[in-house]
Amino acid sequence: MSQSGLITMNHMTHIQQLNPNAVALCSLGRWIASRHWVPATGGNFSIRQDENTALVTASGRDKGELSPQDLLPVSWQQEELFSPLGKPSAETALHAQLYQLDPAIKVVLHTHSVAATVFSRIISTEQYFFSGYEMQKAITGVTSHEQSLPLAIFDNTQNIPALAQQVKHCWQTKPLNFGLLVRGHGLYVWGYSLEQAKRHLEGWEFLINCELERIKLTGKP
Amino acid sequence: MSQSGLITMNHMTHIQQLNPNAVALCSLGRWIASRHWVPATGGNFSIRQDENTALVTASGRDKGELSPQDLLPVSWQQEELFSPLGKPSAETALHAQLYQLDPAIKVVLHTHSVAATVFSRIISTEQYFFSGYEMQKAITGVTSHEQSLPLAIFDNTQNIPALAQQVKHCWQTKPLNFGLLVRGHGLYVWGYSLEQAKRHLEGWEFLINCELERIKLTGKP
Amino acid sequence: MSQSGLITMNHMTHIQQLNPNAVALCSLGRWIASRHWVPATGGNFSIRQDENTALVTASGRDKGELSPQDLLPVSWQQEELFSPLGKPSAETALHAQLYQLDPAIKVVLHTHSVAATVFSRIISTEQYFFSGYEMQKAITGVTSHEQSLPLAIFDNTQNIPALAQQVKHCWQTKPLNFGLLVRGHGLYVWGYSLEQAKRHLEGWEFLINCELERIKLTGKP
Amino acid sequence: MSQSGLITMNHMTHIQQLNPNAVALCSLGRWIASRHWVPATGGNFSIRQDENTALVTASGRDKGELSPQDLLPVSWQQEELFSPLGKPSAETALHAQLYQLDPAIKVVLHTHSVAATVFSRIISTEQYFFSGYEMQKAITGVTSHEQSLPLAIFDNTQNIPALAQQVKHCWQTKPLNFGLLVRGHGLYVWGYSLEQAKRHLEGWEFLINCELERIKLTGKP
């Protein structure tokens, strides 16, 4: 990296340490790690800075030790990603896609819990419908346990831009309800604030865990 | 909110920060959150102040970060609820009903564990009978594992006043044993002190978890 | 209680706060509570002081907040128990029985985990044999996973002196391997030191958990 | 032990307390204990010092309280082990074997989780193939969930040098992927750095847990 690149990185790191968004995202990230939902350096988190920019966790960091210097600024223009500090991780493309689909999205969280991963594999359909749970109301817009709440499941691929395109296509035809599963991979949730994104994460994890337990107990998927 | 409303709120918040009941309820609430029994801002807790008043958690607060300013004073008169700081959350009606049914009740805890939620769905009857567990003695009044200990299960509804009426009706015909389940929703427990309410919560959670594990192992509900 | 009784209690409490055995047992007890193995004030712990005396947890204390003033000195003479501070809890009789059966026992731990409780109910025999687990070597005297390691299971009763007699009778005919289950009730472990009793507790809990998982996975008890 | 032996031990202990490798391994070890993956003083950890020497945990220590004085320096020459502070524990032979098989290995971790132990018993083959999990990429060298990732399983034995020979033999014929199971015993993982060994541990534990849950849910091993 060039001398000017190093200066930029130090400068940006300094800015991020003082950035309340960065500090709050890292605090939430460490809490998520304490739940064992991002093991083995897996998962990634981001928080929007402005219309075309977000801070995104650098790949390979232990999420239990997350601090502002582990966040990279990333900008986007359609499918193109730019980062002054080097090539952002592949999965950033899905974060950028979500930020472009809804300008109100402030935070995107991608996690790898055992429950979400297993659930996404035992369900072979493109959507799973939750009903009868009061906890469905944790998802913004849901007002009753009597509604049927779909969660979309996409097949996994190492081609993240292609996955991002599928999500965009899906977004236009059926509601995504602030969350989606990637099969054998994990969960993405988002929200209009850090608090809302955390609530959606806990809500979806709860619903998925309940259905897994129910299937174990009754034998009926 | 009017200027005088703001003054009232600041004044009340100040009082609650110094109120040992409020401090102790928040401490118990954070412990309950650490058990993952109130995820996604779910659940609510209350502590009686006098015959017709309790402090109740405001809806939508992260229970892992509960502090006295998250508690609202609520008064009741039959089915009517009053709060100087605005409209209390719907579920407060069930807390108020319990306080009116037994003047010795000091604390009500409403939680959303995966175990209690799933258990309430796989059991389709109005009551479930626990027997053979020493832990039944955690519930006040139980003296032997040989007794049969019923736990009532009510169907979920978004009409909390109607649910409160059903609980009142049930109270007069069969014992509730310091706890009840709402199907697909969660657990309510209560006690004559904070310590007793916590013991009832842990006791019922333990018994429910044991039965779920037993059903998984033996296949027999 | 008489004036002299109060003086005795204050005096004893003072002694226990300075007693390294009491401090160490409380520290272990809080760790056990953090594992959720003594919920709802259940369980009890003791540490031997001399041939005929031990410090025992007073009944009804939250084990997550255990401190030396929650320990009571208890002496025994055959089946008779004496405590200068009042009537000890019923289960103390089983602790005293174990201390009399082997003068080398220093610590007795009685816990109520979901796993041990459920395991003791799904197994209907008087003993369960563990084999093929390296962890069997956590139990003092075991040198190979190829040995068959029995764990005795006694039916629960509210008559603790009768249970203590059964344990004494069993002790003379078959090895107890530093642990026993009471059906639907919980686990007792003991050891010649605090460290050894903790190791026996973790070892037996591990073995029981493994067998429960194995049964769930294979359907074979 | 001779006077000079005591001097050596104090001297070595002092060196280890200042050794950043020792401090970092103990920190990781306590984290592993907090996950309940080394219960009942089970498991052992090591970190390479030079070509023929590593620091290894002394047997019988509570891994939740690990500190540098619990580490012993051990050297090897083929199958022979040497330690200035006495006879190293039997399982050290497998650590030494791994260090000799790949000079880039820096850290070896041996753990005893319930999941790994049970998994190793319900699978009766010499290898188990994981596929379809994004988390497979946590294992160094894996680039896609579409690869089939084998984990070797060796039968348990109290003859650790014989087991070390089997691992050496296996190493030359099929890839070990930075981990192996010993049946009914536990998991060994290794890495070229502490961070990588931790990632391999979390990755393998995650994959094993996912497969166990999948088998419980679908009944298909």
Side-chain angles (χ1 to χ4, degrees), chain B residues 90-104:
Chain B
E91 285 170 338
T92 306
L94 195 39
H95 291 243
Q97 180 62 271
L98 291 162
Y99 287 119
Q100 289 177 85
L101 285 167
D102 183 350

Side-chain angles (χ1 to χ4, degrees), chain D residues 89-101:
Chain D
S89 81
E91 285 170 338
T92 306
L94 195 40
H95 291 244
Q97 181 63 271
L98 291 162
Y99 286 119
Q100 289 176 84
L101 285 167

Side-chain angles (χ1 to χ4, degrees), chain C residues 15-30 45-51 53-57 66-69 71 99 105-109 192-195:
Chain C
I15 289 171
Q16 285 161 222
Q17 278 166 338
L18 301 171
N19 180 331
N21 277 344
V23 170
L25 183 66
C26 289
S27 173
L28 175 56
R30 291 191 303 271
F45 312 132
S46 67
I47 189 160
R48 188 196 286 268
Q49 294 290 86
D50 59 38
E51 195 192 333
T53 312
L55 294 174
V56 185
T57 46
L66 209 60
S67 68
Q69 60 262 38
L71 302 181
Y99 286 119
I105 295 174
K106 175 82 175 174
V107 170
V108 177
L109 306 172
Y192 298 156
S193 66
L194 264 168
E195 291 71 23

Side-chain angles (χ1 to χ4, degrees), chain A residues 70-129:
Chain A
D70 297 319
L71 302 181
L72 297 176
V74 176
S75 299
W76 52 81
Q77 203 80 47
Q78 305 294 332
E79 273 87 63
E80 291 293 303
L81 294 178
F82 309 94
S83 178
L85 307 180
K87 195 176 180 315
S89 81
E91 286 171 338
T92 307
L94 195 39
H95 292 243
Q97 181 62 271
L98 290 163
Y99 286 119
Q100 289 176 86
L101 285 167
D102 183 350
I105 294 175
K106 175 83 175 174
V107 170
V108 177
L109 306 172
H110 171 41
T111 53
H112 290 203
S113 73
V114 167
T117 302
V118 170
F119 184 78
S120 71
R121 291 195 69 163
I122 66 165
I123 305 298
S124 55
T125 50
E126 289 180 10
Q127 277 189 309
Y128 187 84
F129 291 87

Side-chain angles (χ1 to χ4, degrees), chain A residues 138-140 194-204, chain B residues 40-41:
Chain A
I139 308 305
T140 300
L194 264 168
E195 290 72 23
Q196 202 196 59
K198 184 188 182 191
R199 197 183 74 220
H200 291 157
L201 174 58
E202 288 192 272
W204 280 121
Chain B
T41 79

